[in-house]
Amino acid sequence: MARWWRGALVALAMAAPARGEPLGLAEALALAEGQHERAELAREAVAAAEADVDAAFAAVLPRLALQATGRLNDREVQVGDRTLQALVSANAALVLEARLFEGRALPLVDAAEGRVEAARLQSRFAIRELAFAVADAWYAAVIGTRLREAAERSINTAAENLEVVQARREVGKALVVDEARAELRVVQARESLTRAANVEASTRDLVGVLIGTEAPEAFAEPPAVAEPGADEAARERLDVEAQRVLARTAEALADAGWMAWLPSVLARGTASVTTEGGFGGQQTASALFLVVEWALYDAGRSARDEQDAVRARQAALQASLQDREARYAVRQARRDLDTVHATGETAEQTLILARETRTQVLARYRAGRATALELVEAEDTLRQAELDRIARTLELYRARLALFRALGLDPLGKEVVDP
């Protein structure tokens, strides 16, 4: 199932919009999950944890070995015409060992399996974090485009003001300094456009890095996203649940420390061939052994038990801390979103008022009832109001993302259905 889902992501990434077509947020998220290295590393972490389980099982699995030895004796021993010990001899043996019981290995296998479960949760969390990073960069790129468009409008406004000042100066109703000030506003507007274009290019480039492609040339309009209600409960955070699994695994490993005191039971079968026949003249032999080993004293055992106990306490504390921080993140994200809504409404009203003021001042200036300084101030106020409104829009997008992340939703505000 996991392979099918991964293949679907890659197929969706390959079917992404061609260069030049607007890139939507959902498409950007699919591209990142399907082909970004961070997503691939998260999946490889699960594979590594599964390999650790196989390594832990190796302690209790049968072992087949071929042994060969050569020996140079200090003398040759003969009895009559039979050689009991040759000066040079060789021996080969096939050994099959099977551990019937290994108390020290069983808790390690259980712990490795617990870490696999935690790795899967952490992998999903890492991919989710990548999705939120992509969404943040995508919204920033959209806002970067709006900043560039606002800068272009500022140039048009400054150029319009310059034309009005020049027309008034030709009829002797404006001063040279007024024209110089209007020309300076045009130059400043061009500088702002250069800065805004660089911001737009940087944000687009960042989106390209996060989705594993070249920087997109255009972005679709932000999707309509429903904000969670005040009573919306948080989902189980993947990072919190992963830490809880690690805490339970560490506690179980510490509790199972007594199993290291149990004896080990080993069955061994051998089949050998030798160049020395001995008294019986038999050059082949086979045997079956049952080995019971009971370690009566191990100086490092108590230290290992204490290490397991400390790790268990640390994991439990970390799980408690992450759970508390996750609940705090939900409360703070809601407060931040309320604040952004309030500041956004203020910015919108300020922009409307600034536009009306600039229109009125321009009309009064054309009629000779306002000064050039009043026109410049109205222009500056309009430009700042528009920039503030754009900035508040980005804050709103990011506040929503923070709330979605805290609630355990995806960047589109939807509950994640695991494949």
Side-chain angles (χ1 to χ4, degrees):
M1 187 66 176
R3 290 183 178 179
W4 175 89
W5 178 250
R6 180 178 173 186
L9 287 174
V10 174
L12 183 58
M14 296 299 292
R19 182 172 176 81
E21 295 184 8
L23 177 68
L25 177 55
E27 295 160 342
L29 296 176
L31 282 167
E33 185 171 351
Q35 61 188 29
H36 195 271
E37 290 84 355
R38 282 171 59 182
E40 189 64 25
L41 285 171
R43 288 186 282 266
E44 288 298 327
V46 178
E50 292 172 345
D52 290 341
V53 175
D54 296 336
F57 263 117
V60 296
L61 293 178
R63 185 178 70 92
L64 180 64
L66 180 63
Q67 299 177 351
T69 58
R71 187 172 66 185
L72 176 62
N73 298 307
D74 62 342
R75 64 177 65 86
E76 183 178 278
V77 178
Q78 289 185 332
V79 176
D81 60 350
R82 178 170 298 177
T83 301
L84 300 183
Q85 176 179 289
L87 185 63
V88 179
S89 63
N91 179 75
L94 187 65
V95 181
L96 176 62
E97 291 183 348
R99 292 188 176 273
L100 304 180
F101 180 78
E102 183 62 70
R104 293 170 294 182
L106 296 178
L108 298 178
V109 173
D110 293 338
E113 291 176 342
R115 284 190 286 270
V116 168
E117 181 182 356
R120 289 176 180 146
L121 292 167
Q122 290 169 335
S123 174
R124 288 161 50 198
F125 178 73
I127 294 174
R128 185 88 57 84
E129 290 291 281
L130 172 63
F132 277 102
V134 171
D136 184 83
W138 188 90
Y139 281 122
V142 171
I143 294 300
T145 300
R146 294 182 182 178
L147 285 173
R148 190 256 305 160
E149 293 171 348
E152 291 174 348
R153 288 193 294 271
S154 295
I155 288 182
N156 295 333
T157 301
E160 182 183 2
N161 291 346
L162 177 59
E163 291 177 0
V164 173
V165 172
Q166 289 174 339
R168 286 179 56 80
R169 183 170 177 272
E170 289 177 358
V171 297
K173 295 183 178 181
L175 302 176
V176 175
V177 67
D178 294 336
E179 183 177 358
R181 187 181 291 115
E183 290 176 346
L184 176 60
R185 292 300 173 183
V186 173
V187 174
Q188 291 174 336
R190 288 173 181 165
E191 178 188 352
S192 298
L193 176 59
T194 301
R195 293 179 183 274
N198 288 337
V199 170
E200 181 186 27
S202 297
T203 53
R204 286 181 175 181
D205 192 25
L206 177 58
V207 173
V209 170
L210 290 174
I211 65 178
T213 64
E214 295 183 12
E217 293 183 352
F219 295 86
E221 285 298 311
V225 176
E227 293 183 2
D231 57 346
E232 176 113 18
R235 278 71 174 167
E236 185 63 63
R237 284 272 296 269
L238 294 175
D239 55 334
V240 175
E241 181 58 26
Q243 191 58 48
R244 287 175 181 166
V245 171
L246 290 175
R248 291 195 297 267
T249 299
E251 182 180 5
L253 183 62
D255 293 341
W258 60 272
M259 297 188 69
W261 294 96
L262 298 177
S264 301
V265 181
L266 173 70
R268 180 186 298 125
T270 64
S272 61
V273 58
T274 182
T275 58
E276 294 181 344
F279 280 103
Q282 298 292 326
Q283 293 183 316
T284 61
S286 60
L288 181 64
F289 302 89
L290 181 64
V291 181
V292 178
E293 178 184 351
W294 199 335
L296 300 180
Y297 175 73
D298 184 349
R301 182 172 297 168
S302 59
R304 290 192 294 270
D305 291 344
E306 181 60 26
Q307 286 178 333
D308 291 340
V310 170
R311 293 191 185 102
R313 293 194 297 270
Q314 289 176 332
L317 289 171
Q318 186 64 35
S320 176
L321 175 61
Q322 287 191 212
D323 179 66
R324 211 153 29 84
E325 290 179 343
R327 287 185 277 110
Y328 165 77
V330 173
R331 298 192 299 270
Q332 186 60 42
R334 290 190 187 279
R335 289 190 288 264
D336 291 342
L337 185 58
D338 291 340
T339 301
V340 170
H341 275 304
T343 57
E345 292 177 2
T346 302
E348 184 66 28
Q349 294 300 319
T350 302
L351 177 59
I352 294 174
L353 180 60
R355 284 172 177 167
E356 293 177 353
T357 301
R358 192 262 177 184
T359 301
Q360 294 175 6
V361 171
L362 180 60
R364 291 175 59 223
Y365 183 76
R366 289 178 186 273
R369 295 194 300 270
T371 65
L373 183 58
E374 290 176 317
L375 184 59
V376 169
E377 290 177 348
E379 180 187 342
D380 289 343
T381 301
L382 175 59
R383 181 184 301 169
Q384 188 59 48
E386 190 166 18
L387 294 177
D388 286 345
R389 201 276 302 270
I390 294 174
R392 298 296 86 75
T393 302
L394 180 58
E395 288 180 1
L396 176 61
Y397 291 148
R398 286 178 166 168
R400 284 175 180 168
L401 287 177
L403 181 56
F404 292 156
R405 181 180 180 276
L407 290 173
L409 302 173
D410 71 2
L412 296 173
K414 299 178 182 178
E415 188 169 358
V416 178
V417 179
D418 295 318

